[in-house]
Amino acid sequence: MVTTLATQAMAMHPGGWNEGWHDGGDAPAFWPVFPITFGLFWLAVLGTAFYFIRRRMNTSAAAAASAADPMAKAQSVLAERFARGEIDEDEYLMRMSALRNGA
């Protein structure tokens, strides 16, 4: 039964697959788009992975450096308070000079 169906299907099919371009016909004009797109996709994936790994390394290095240096942390807290408006410019400059002079 299966052999009969396969024979009938083959008899009804007009020719080779892909409209015969493997048999000496012209290839479709859009065929280079697929490998180029595939390559660009993987370049984008690798570039994104590199970006996020690099970003994580820089963030952890900056956090370690600021945790190791209490002076940098004190200056950043002072700058944040000034930016939020908790202290005015005179007090900011006075406290920043006190931090730099070690008093």
Side-chain angles (χ1 to χ4, degrees):
M1 172 129 179
V2 175
T3 309
T4 306
L5 290 175
T7 306
Q8 289 175 354
M10 296 267 303
M12 291 179 6
H13 194 274
W17 299 99
N18 299 322
E19 294 154 8
W21 66 274
H22 284 290
D23 299 330
D26 290 333
F30 59 86
W31 76 267
V33 171
F34 296 110
I36 292 170
T37 304
F38 190 69
L40 291 176
F41 169 76
W42 283 112
L43 283 176
V45 167
L46 291 174
T48 303
F50 178 76
Y51 170 75
F52 282 118
I53 290 170
R54 185 75 173 186
R55 183 175 163 194
R56 175 171 278 204
M57 288 173 52
N58 287 342
T59 303
S60 63
S66 67
D69 187 15
M71 186 65 67
K73 177 142 176 73
Q75 288 177 348
S76 69
V77 169
L78 187 62
E80 287 175 11
R81 288 185 64 199
F82 177 64
R84 285 193 300 255
E86 294 176 7
I87 58 176
D88 61 353
E89 185 178 2
D90 293 332
E91 186 174 356
Y92 171 76
L93 292 174
M94 180 182 67
R95 290 182 184 217
M96 189 61 79
S97 68
L99 281 174
R100 287 186 185 136
N101 293 335

